[in-house]
Short mmCIF file of all heavy atoms in Angstrom, two decimals:
data_model
loop_
_atom_site.label_atom_id
_atom_site.label_comp_id
_atom_site.label_asym_id
_atom_site.label_seq_id
_atom_site.Cartn_x
_atom_site.Cartn_y
_atom_site.Cartn_z
N GLU A 29 0.84 -1.20 -0.03
CA GLU A 29 -0.02 0.02 0.03
C GLU A 29 0.87 1.20 0.03
O GLU A 29 1.84 1.39 0.71
CB GLU A 29 -0.85 -0.02 1.21
CG GLU A 29 -1.85 1.16 1.30
CD GLU A 29 -2.80 1.10 2.46
OE1 GLU A 29 -2.82 0.06 3.15
OE2 GLU A 29 -3.41 2.10 2.84
N GLN A 30 0.49 2.20 -0.74
CA GLN A 30 1.26 3.50 -0.83
C GLN A 30 1.02 4.31 0.36
O GLN A 30 -0.04 4.25 0.95
CB GLN A 30 0.84 4.25 -2.05
CG GLN A 30 1.32 3.51 -3.35
CD GLN A 30 0.92 4.33 -4.65
OE1 GLN A 30 0.74 5.46 -4.57
NE2 GLN A 30 0.89 3.62 -5.80
N VAL A 31 2.06 5.08 0.79
CA VAL A 31 1.92 5.93 1.93
C VAL A 31 2.29 7.27 1.43
O VAL A 31 3.42 7.50 0.89
CB VAL A 31 2.88 5.42 3.11
CG1 VAL A 31 2.74 6.43 4.28
CG2 VAL A 31 2.54 4.05 3.44
N GLY A 32 1.37 8.21 1.62
CA GLY A 32 1.72 9.62 1.21
C GLY A 32 1.51 10.60 2.37
O GLY A 32 1.79 11.79 2.16
N THR A 33 0.92 10.18 3.51
CA THR A 33 0.49 11.12 4.54
C THR A 33 1.19 10.86 5.89
O THR A 33 0.96 11.51 6.85
CB THR A 33 -0.91 11.13 4.70
OG1 THR A 33 -1.37 9.84 5.06
CG2 THR A 33 -1.67 11.59 3.44
N LEU A 34 2.04 9.77 6.00
CA LEU A 34 2.63 9.54 7.25
C LEU A 34 3.69 10.67 7.56
O LEU A 34 4.25 11.23 6.70
CB LEU A 34 3.38 8.21 7.17
CG LEU A 34 2.51 6.96 7.15
CD1 LEU A 34 3.42 5.72 7.16
CD2 LEU A 34 1.52 6.96 8.25
N PRO A 35 3.72 11.01 8.78
CA PRO A 35 4.70 12.11 9.13
C PRO A 35 6.07 11.70 8.98
O PRO A 35 6.50 10.55 9.32
CB PRO A 35 4.40 12.31 10.63
CG PRO A 35 3.86 11.04 11.21
CD PRO A 35 2.96 10.50 9.98
N ALA A 36 6.94 12.58 8.38
CA ALA A 36 8.30 12.28 8.23
C ALA A 36 8.99 12.57 9.58
O ALA A 36 8.49 13.17 10.54
CB ALA A 36 8.96 13.26 7.19
N HIS A 37 10.22 12.09 9.75
CA HIS A 37 10.94 12.17 10.94
C HIS A 37 12.08 13.26 10.88
O HIS A 37 12.93 13.14 9.96
CB HIS A 37 11.67 10.84 11.25
CG HIS A 37 10.76 9.70 11.54
ND1 HIS A 37 10.06 9.48 12.75
CD2 HIS A 37 10.12 8.90 10.65
CE1 HIS A 37 9.27 8.47 12.65
NE2 HIS A 37 9.25 8.09 11.39
N ALA A 38 11.84 14.40 11.57
CA ALA A 38 12.77 15.53 11.39
C ALA A 38 14.17 15.06 11.80
O ALA A 38 14.35 14.24 12.66
CB ALA A 38 12.28 16.68 12.24
N SER A 39 15.23 15.61 11.18
CA SER A 39 16.54 15.22 11.40
C SER A 39 17.45 16.33 11.56
O SER A 39 17.32 17.30 10.79
CB SER A 39 17.05 14.23 10.21
OG SER A 39 18.42 14.01 10.32
N ASP A 40 18.35 16.31 12.48
CA ASP A 40 19.36 17.42 12.60
C ASP A 40 20.71 16.81 12.14
O ASP A 40 21.75 17.32 12.46
CB ASP A 40 19.49 17.92 14.13
CG ASP A 40 19.79 16.74 15.08
OD1 ASP A 40 19.87 15.68 14.63
OD2 ASP A 40 19.86 17.09 16.27
N SER A 41 20.61 15.88 11.26
CA SER A 41 21.88 15.26 10.75
C SER A 41 22.62 16.18 9.93
O SER A 41 22.14 16.99 9.15
CB SER A 41 21.42 14.04 9.84
OG SER A 41 22.46 13.62 9.10
N PRO A 42 23.99 16.11 9.99
CA PRO A 42 24.82 16.84 9.15
C PRO A 42 24.95 16.33 7.66
O PRO A 42 25.53 16.79 6.76
CB PRO A 42 26.20 16.75 9.72
CG PRO A 42 26.26 15.54 10.48
CD PRO A 42 24.80 15.32 10.87
N ILE A 43 24.29 15.11 7.40
CA ILE A 43 24.32 14.49 6.11
C ILE A 43 23.51 15.31 5.10
O ILE A 43 22.32 15.55 5.33
CB ILE A 43 23.88 13.05 6.21
CG1 ILE A 43 24.73 12.19 7.13
CG2 ILE A 43 23.88 12.39 4.78
CD1 ILE A 43 26.24 12.20 6.73
N GLN A 44 24.16 15.64 4.00
CA GLN A 44 23.49 16.36 2.99
C GLN A 44 23.53 15.54 1.57
O GLN A 44 22.84 15.95 0.65
CB GLN A 44 24.17 17.70 2.69
CG GLN A 44 24.15 18.63 3.90
CD GLN A 44 24.89 19.92 3.67
OE1 GLN A 44 25.17 20.34 2.47
NE2 GLN A 44 25.33 20.51 4.62
N HIS A 45 24.26 14.54 1.58
CA HIS A 45 24.36 13.68 0.38
C HIS A 45 24.38 12.10 0.67
O HIS A 45 25.15 11.69 1.61
CB HIS A 45 25.72 13.96 -0.37
CG HIS A 45 26.02 15.47 -0.60
ND1 HIS A 45 25.46 16.13 -1.56
CD2 HIS A 45 26.83 16.20 0.22
CE1 HIS A 45 25.77 17.37 -1.53
NE2 HIS A 45 26.61 17.46 -0.44
N VAL A 46 23.55 11.41 0.05
CA VAL A 46 23.50 9.91 0.22
C VAL A 46 23.80 9.34 -1.08
O VAL A 46 23.27 9.65 -2.14
CB VAL A 46 22.07 9.43 0.61
CG1 VAL A 46 21.96 7.91 0.63
CG2 VAL A 46 21.64 9.99 2.01
N VAL A 47 24.96 8.48 -1.03
CA VAL A 47 25.37 7.81 -2.28
C VAL A 47 25.21 6.30 -2.05
O VAL A 47 25.80 5.79 -1.07
CB VAL A 47 26.84 8.22 -2.61
CG1 VAL A 47 27.30 7.44 -3.85
CG2 VAL A 47 26.94 9.70 -2.73
N VAL A 48 24.55 5.72 -2.94
CA VAL A 48 24.48 4.16 -2.94
C VAL A 48 25.25 3.64 -4.05
O VAL A 48 25.05 3.95 -5.21
CB VAL A 48 23.01 3.69 -3.09
CG1 VAL A 48 22.80 2.27 -2.99
CG2 VAL A 48 22.09 4.46 -2.05
N ILE A 49 26.26 2.85 -3.68
CA ILE A 49 27.11 2.10 -4.66
C ILE A 49 26.49 0.71 -4.87
O ILE A 49 26.67 -0.02 -3.78
CB ILE A 49 28.63 2.05 -4.33
CG1 ILE A 49 29.17 3.53 -4.16
CG2 ILE A 49 29.42 1.27 -5.31
CD1 ILE A 49 30.57 3.57 -3.66
N PHE A 50 25.87 0.42 -5.96
CA PHE A 50 25.02 -0.75 -6.11
C PHE A 50 25.80 -1.70 -7.04
O PHE A 50 25.68 -1.71 -8.22
CB PHE A 50 23.66 -0.37 -6.66
CG PHE A 50 22.58 -1.25 -6.29
CD1 PHE A 50 22.55 -1.92 -4.97
CD2 PHE A 50 21.46 -1.48 -7.07
CE1 PHE A 50 21.46 -2.72 -4.63
CE2 PHE A 50 20.45 -2.33 -6.72
CZ PHE A 50 20.37 -2.94 -5.46
N GLN A 51 26.52 -2.77 -6.35
CA GLN A 51 27.30 -3.75 -7.11
C GLN A 51 26.35 -4.94 -7.36
O GLN A 51 25.17 -4.97 -7.01
CB GLN A 51 28.43 -4.07 -6.27
CG GLN A 51 29.48 -2.86 -6.12
CD GLN A 51 30.10 -2.48 -7.47
OE1 GLN A 51 29.77 -1.39 -8.03
NE2 GLN A 51 31.08 -3.30 -7.99
N GLU A 52 27.02 -5.96 -8.00
CA GLU A 52 26.24 -7.14 -8.51
C GLU A 52 26.57 -8.46 -7.78
O GLU A 52 27.75 -8.77 -7.72
CB GLU A 52 26.53 -7.30 -10.10
CG GLU A 52 25.77 -6.27 -10.86
CD GLU A 52 24.33 -6.45 -11.00
OE1 GLU A 52 23.96 -7.63 -11.28
OE2 GLU A 52 23.59 -5.49 -10.96
N ASN A 53 25.51 -9.14 -7.39
CA ASN A 53 25.59 -10.59 -7.24
C ASN A 53 26.55 -11.22 -6.27
O ASN A 53 27.31 -12.11 -6.69
CB ASN A 53 25.76 -11.18 -8.58
CG ASN A 53 24.66 -10.84 -9.62
OD1 ASN A 53 23.90 -9.98 -9.30
ND2 ASN A 53 24.62 -11.44 -10.80
N HIS A 54 26.49 -10.88 -4.97
CA HIS A 54 27.29 -11.51 -4.01
C HIS A 54 26.62 -11.62 -2.67
O HIS A 54 25.90 -10.62 -2.30
CB HIS A 54 28.63 -10.92 -3.79
CG HIS A 54 29.56 -10.96 -4.99
ND1 HIS A 54 30.33 -12.05 -5.19
CD2 HIS A 54 29.69 -10.15 -6.04
CE1 HIS A 54 31.02 -11.87 -6.27
NE2 HIS A 54 30.69 -10.72 -6.93
N SER A 55 26.67 -12.68 -1.89
CA SER A 55 26.18 -12.88 -0.64
C SER A 55 27.23 -12.31 0.39
O SER A 55 28.33 -12.07 0.12
CB SER A 55 25.85 -14.34 -0.24
OG SER A 55 27.09 -15.02 -0.18
N PHE A 56 26.62 -12.14 1.62
CA PHE A 56 27.50 -11.61 2.74
C PHE A 56 28.71 -12.54 2.96
O PHE A 56 29.76 -12.08 3.02
CB PHE A 56 26.64 -11.42 4.02
CG PHE A 56 27.48 -10.70 5.12
CD1 PHE A 56 27.41 -9.42 5.27
CD2 PHE A 56 28.21 -11.47 6.06
CE1 PHE A 56 28.23 -8.84 6.22
CE2 PHE A 56 29.00 -10.92 6.96
CZ PHE A 56 28.93 -9.53 7.19
N ASP A 57 28.42 -13.74 3.27
CA ASP A 57 29.59 -14.69 3.51
C ASP A 57 30.64 -14.73 2.46
O ASP A 57 31.76 -14.93 2.58
CB ASP A 57 29.10 -16.10 3.86
CG ASP A 57 28.56 -16.15 5.35
OD1 ASP A 57 28.96 -15.46 6.08
OD2 ASP A 57 27.72 -17.12 5.51
N ASN A 58 30.16 -14.61 1.17
CA ASN A 58 31.05 -14.66 0.03
C ASN A 58 31.96 -13.51 0.05
O ASN A 58 33.14 -13.59 -0.46
CB ASN A 58 30.20 -14.68 -1.26
CG ASN A 58 30.99 -14.74 -2.52
OD1 ASN A 58 31.02 -13.79 -3.28
ND2 ASN A 58 31.68 -15.78 -2.78
N VAL A 59 31.48 -12.28 0.45
CA VAL A 59 32.37 -11.18 0.36
C VAL A 59 32.93 -10.81 1.69
O VAL A 59 34.14 -10.40 1.78
CB VAL A 59 31.54 -9.91 -0.17
CG1 VAL A 59 32.37 -8.63 -0.06
CG2 VAL A 59 31.11 -10.19 -1.57
N LEU A 60 32.21 -10.84 2.86
CA LEU A 60 32.72 -10.28 4.11
C LEU A 60 32.90 -11.43 5.14
O LEU A 60 33.31 -11.19 6.26
CB LEU A 60 31.84 -9.24 4.67
CG LEU A 60 31.80 -7.93 3.76
CD1 LEU A 60 30.75 -7.04 4.28
CD2 LEU A 60 33.18 -7.38 3.72
N GLY A 61 32.47 -12.65 4.86
CA GLY A 61 32.47 -13.71 5.95
C GLY A 61 33.90 -14.00 6.44
O GLY A 61 34.02 -14.14 7.59
#
């Protein structure tokens, strides 16, 4: 179900940029185990 009216959570975070590096095809144990 779509949500358009739920209250957002105000943030005093210093973060101004979110970067997602989206790689391909590995499980956790395969890479970081």
Side-chain angles (χ1 to χ4, degrees):
E29 183 178 347
Q30 294 180 19
V31 179
T33 57
L34 291 183
H37 299 270
S39 172
D40 56 2
S41 165
I43 299 301
Q44 298 176 24
H45 311 281
V46 174
V47 178
V48 184
I49 300 176
F50 209 34
Q51 296 292 107
E52 287 285 316
N53 299 11
H54 291 275
S55 71
F56 184 92
D57 279 336
N58 179 248
V59 174
L60 295 175

